[in-house]
Amino acid sequence: MKKLHVAAAVASLFAAGSAMAATISQSGVTVAREVIAVNSQSIIGPAASFTYAGNLSANAASSQDFNLVLKLGGDGAPAWLQTAGNLPNLETMQVKAFVAGSPVNVPVLAAGTTAAGKAAVEVLEVEAVDAQTLRVKFRLENKTAVPVNLTTAQVNFNVTTAAIAAATVGGVDFDAQPAPAAAKFAKVTNLVPTVGTVDSDGASEIATDVCSDGDKRVSLNIRNYTGSGVGVIGESGEAGVTNNGYILFSQALNVIVGKGVAVNRSTNPATENKALSTDTAGFGTTTTMPLGYIKFRNLNVDAWDTDIATDFYKLRANNVNNNGDLNTLTVLNTDGAVDTLGAVVKLMSSNGFAAGSTITLSNSPFCSATGANNVSAAGTAVASNGGKDWTVTFTHADLVSIVTGGAVTNTITAIGDALATGPLGAGADPVAGYTATTDRAYICYNVPGNVEIPQSTFTGLARLTKEVGANEQTNQSCVRELAGLGGGVKIDVRNFLGWDPAKATTEAYGEWINVVRVINNSETQEADLIGQYIRADGKYGKWGEMGTLPARGARYFTAKEVHNLLLNNSSTNGADNTGPGGLTAASGQELAANTRLRISSTKAATLRVQNYFYNTRTGALTEVSGSQGADFVNLGASPRDHIDQDAQTGIKK
């Protein structure tokens, strides 16, 4: 029987366009999202196995045509790389079969090359149907004198193959397959799994996608048809064919910014808020404040670099396949090593930073303790948002210095506290509640000590940047709260009526009584209250502590209570500690020039003060708050500095 007749007879056994009995066994591959940064990048597609159940056979001196159609789908718009020379070749296709119960490697040869008297599978054509679809046309060529029945034939796609020697199995002579030429794996391109975005000032946007963007998947679906000829009479539909082939893109690394052991600090009103108050916990000094930390870490994901061959993409110390994260600057890697360039920190404040300040990174939470590896950002901070946001960049060398003090021998996961002792003494726990860590760099806010320090709340984010040309996306943290800087709140009650002890017995408090109401309108921070007389003659008077208000707390103070609380003498040159002063009109004056009351707090970020005059004879209560020192509620709408609130300095003890 002629070849054409045999082919027609075999084709008549199957209904054209029907799905043949088959199963798919496809292996997925997980790739780090970070290693895909531009559309032009490509990676090897997943391997897939399609197993026919009794469908492939050819009588003596006959053939059977079949094809596999591989279609990409899933997230985004993945496409097969179809540039010149990049379509897959027969060296990446493999056929295994059971003939008479024995496993056989069936040779895969080029079209028309099966030797006389032999059997083999030939690759007739690899056709790019569209951007997402490849059709691979095969022919089971049987030039032997006996029938070939591949009872269970498994076609493996996108795999590494080897030479196959000629062999006779089950009475069928199979041809030899030579050693494969250079393999051309089917590659997938048009992949940009976003990790984070970048704004105009060089820092990452405050975006939710970097915190919530999940895995992205590229699917691979296989369809098949068995029939005669090289054309495609009908392909099986997707129904009934399980799709397990995929490329899963997962984030392999993470950057975390947090407050950690850093404590909220306050400015010192006694120094006109030009220095920080003493930190009893030992974190920082009067000119240095730890804001929080940056932590670089591996996620619990085994994800490949673009080579998909040697090591998973991780932050790591040296190993056999790469030289660590900080040891190979200018040497780009595709074998699992992170091409680290540096770190960018963006700090966002509610009210700005002190003029002349710097931001440094340290391997110690104390920031200024002896032995810490403190590193200043390269260049000056880039200000944005009216100066309230600062972006600082730390180089590869900066990170090396933080990790090891300059020796390029380690990974950025080894950042740690190199200090055995802290500001409060020796021991493993020099500061109460502090536990040493070995995986984070601390963000330090350094002030010059001779300019006023704005009180601010701080949030921050950080990015792990990658080398130019590495085609690796940066890793960005979520925005998190850092330590806050309060204190320096100072309010002058300009129309305060001091209590006159001389009237205590004859006229009780006098006809008019001053009542001051202090409100802590913070939701989180308690306020310590300190008061001082500012006498009518301009001299500082007595001062004293007026208690503490919890968050959202408020309290009334009568003028007599104020008098009883302000018991401490001021040592400032020219101070007058004889009393409030301004209780009686001076010679030639119609009215007494009243003393002011200054209220300050070292902890609070904001206070409100209401002032009332109460008439003991008539019972009239008059609010006179409008003439006190300014205290703005809407900071964004006010061009004035809301810290000073009319008073220019704090308490003078």
Side-chain angles (χ1 to χ4, degrees):
M1 184 179 291
K2 293 184 179 180
K3 176 178 178 181
L4 178 60
H5 294 163
V6 173
V10 174
S12 68
L13 299 176
F14 307 100
S18 63
M20 301 307 164
T23 59
I24 300 175
S25 176
Q26 299 167 304
S27 59
V29 61
T30 301
V31 177
R33 292 195 313 177
E34 292 89 340
V35 301
I36 305 296
V38 293
N39 278 323
S40 59
Q41 282 181 262
S42 62
I43 62 172
I44 297 174
S49 297
F50 195 94
T51 303
Y52 292 92
N55 296 321
L56 298 182
S57 62
N59 288 332
S62 181
S63 66
Q64 167 75 308
D65 290 345
F66 61 99
N67 71 76
L68 291 181
V69 176
L70 300 101
K71 189 174 182 63
L72 296 172
D75 297 324
W80 295 110
L81 182 63
Q82 298 177 14
T83 55
N86 277 300
L87 287 179
N89 61 2
L90 59 88
E91 277 80 10
T92 60
M93 303 172 199
Q94 180 188 76
V95 177
K96 289 180 176 293
F98 282 85
V99 178
S102 300
V104 176
N105 289 321
V106 179
V108 180
L109 306 176
T113 61
T114 303
K118 303 291 184 180
V121 171
E122 296 179 352
V123 178
L124 303 181
E125 182 183 7
V126 178
E127 177 188 4
V129 180
D130 55 39
Q132 284 74 41
T133 309
L134 290 180
R135 179 181 287 116
V136 185
K137 300 178 181 179
F138 297 94
R139 172 170 292 164
L140 174 59
E141 184 71 57
N142 181 14
K143 294 183 178 181
T144 72
V146 296
V148 173
N149 185 3
L150 306 184
T151 306
T152 301
Q154 182 185 78
V155 181
N156 298 314
F157 173 78
N158 238 28
V159 296
T160 302
T161 62
I164 299 173
T168 300
V169 180
V172 178
D173 292 332
F174 286 98
D175 207 344
Q177 177 177 316
K184 293 181 182 178
F185 294 95
K187 295 183 179 180
V188 181
T189 187
N190 201 37
L191 307 169
V192 186
T194 302
V195 173
T197 54
V198 179
D199 66 14
S200 58
D201 64 10
S204 296
E205 287 284 4
I206 306 171
T208 57
D209 65 332
V210 299
C211 301
S212 61
D213 195 19
D215 295 343
K216 295 182 182 295
R217 185 186 299 265
V218 173
S219 62
L220 174 61
N221 190 37
I222 299 182
R223 299 192 302 242
N224 76 99
Y225 172 75
T226 305
S228 61
V230 298
V232 179
I233 300 174
E235 294 172 5
S236 66
E238 297 182 13
V241 180
T242 303
N243 173 29
N244 294 320
Y246 62 86
I247 307 170
L248 179 65
F249 293 95
S250 291
Q251 189 167 340
L253 311 177
N254 197 13
V255 181
I256 301 173
V257 169
K259 181 178 178 181
V261 296
V263 295
N264 291 340
R265 297 287 296 280
S266 61
T267 56
N268 186 350
T271 61
E272 298 181 332
N273 303 105
K274 295 179 180 179
L276 301 171
S277 295
T278 303
D279 176 19
T280 56
F283 296 108
T285 66
T286 56
T287 58
T288 302
M289 175 182 173
L291 294 178
Y293 68 88
I294 306 171
K295 180 179 180 179
F296 308 97
R297 68 171 184 171
N298 296 316
L299 298 179
N300 189 25
V301 173
D302 285 336
W304 294 111
D305 207 329
T306 51
D307 72 339
I308 316 181
T310 49
D311 277 322
F312 294 124
Y313 187 77
K314 292 183 183 296
L315 302 168
R316 56 162 60 88
N318 300 348
N319 66 12
V320 295
N321 292 317
N322 62 64
N323 295 317
D325 312 307
L326 296 179
N327 221 0
T328 56
L329 185 63
T330 73
V331 178
L332 303 181
N333 299 280
T334 60
D335 59 357
V338 180
D339 289 314
T340 301
L341 178 63
V344 175
V345 180
K346 185 172 184 178
L347 301 174
M348 292 146 283
S349 71
S350 61
N351 198 42
F353 300 82
S357 298
T358 60
I359 303 297
T360 59
L361 285 183
S362 175
N363 71 332
S364 166
F366 310 119
C367 281
S368 59
T370 302
N373 295 328
N374 291 303
V375 174
S376 298
T380 58
V382 177
S384 57
N385 189 26
K388 292 183 178 180
D389 298 348
W390 276 11
T391 301
V392 291
T393 300
F394 295 92
T395 66
H396 184 277
D398 292 337
L399 293 183
V400 170
S401 182
I402 290 294
V403 174
T404 62
V408 189
T409 58
N410 226 322
T411 171
I412 57 178
T413 57
I415 296 174
D417 178 15
L419 307 176
T421 61
L424 299 188
D429 186 18
V431 177
Y434 165 64
T435 302
T437 56
T438 58
D439 61 357
R440 61 196 67 194
Y442 294 88
I443 306 168
C444 307
Y445 176 28
N446 308 279
V447 300
N450 56 8
V451 297
E452 188 169 356
I453 307 169
Q455 58 172 336
S456 285
T457 56
F458 299 98
T459 54
L461 60 81
R463 297 169 59 215
L464 177 64
T465 59
K466 312 297 177 61
E467 292 187 57
V468 177
N471 285 335
E472 292 182 11
Q473 295 189 56
T474 60
N475 289 94
Q476 176 187 307
S477 74
C478 301
V479 178
R480 289 291 183 263
E481 179 182 350
L482 302 175
L485 181 58
V489 177
K490 40 195 183 293
I491 301 174
D492 274 358
V493 184
R494 292 182 288 191
N495 50 4
F496 179 75
L497 294 178
W499 181 67
D500 187 353
K503 298 180 179 180
T505 56
T506 58
E507 302 179 37
Y509 295 106
E511 184 175 350
W512 291 95
I513 297 176
N514 199 117
V515 179
V516 175
R517 187 184 191 217
V518 184
I519 304 168
N520 179 11
N521 57 313
S522 172
E523 287 290 325
T524 58
Q525 181 66 49
E526 71 174 12
D528 60 323
L529 304 180
I530 306 172
Q532 186 169 33
Y533 288 128
I534 308 298
R535 294 167 52 91
D537 57 10
K539 296 179 179 180
Y540 291 108
K542 289 192 173 185
W543 67 275
E545 296 180 358
M546 300 174 63
T548 300
L549 288 178
R552 302 175 299 279
R555 183 185 166 182
Y556 288 100
F557 295 90
T558 66
K560 182 180 181 181
E561 286 181 293
V562 172
H563 177 84
N564 292 336
L565 289 170
L566 306 190
L567 300 176
N568 303 306
N569 292 333
S570 173
S571 60
T572 301
N573 290 336
D576 187 335
N577 296 304
T578 59
L583 300 178
T584 58
S587 176
Q589 293 180 344
E590 188 73 20
L591 297 173
N594 67 303
T595 289
R596 301 189 301 278
L597 172 65
R598 179 165 294 175
I599 297 176
S600 184
S601 174
T602 62
K603 293 183 179 179
T606 181
L607 289 175
R608 302 289 184 266
V609 175
Q610 294 171 306
N611 197 28
Y612 302 90
F613 288 170
Y614 173 67
N615 191 292
T616 58
R617 182 175 57 83
T618 65
L621 181 67
T622 304
E623 183 176 3
V624 290
S625 303
S627 60
Q628 72 188 37
D631 188 27
F632 297 106
V633 177
N634 188 347
L635 306 182
S638 171
R640 290 192 53 180
D641 184 356
H642 74 285
I643 300 172
D644 289 342
Q645 300 180 32
D646 195 55
Q648 297 302 306
T649 186
I651 306 303
K652 296 299 184 182
K653 298 180 181 180

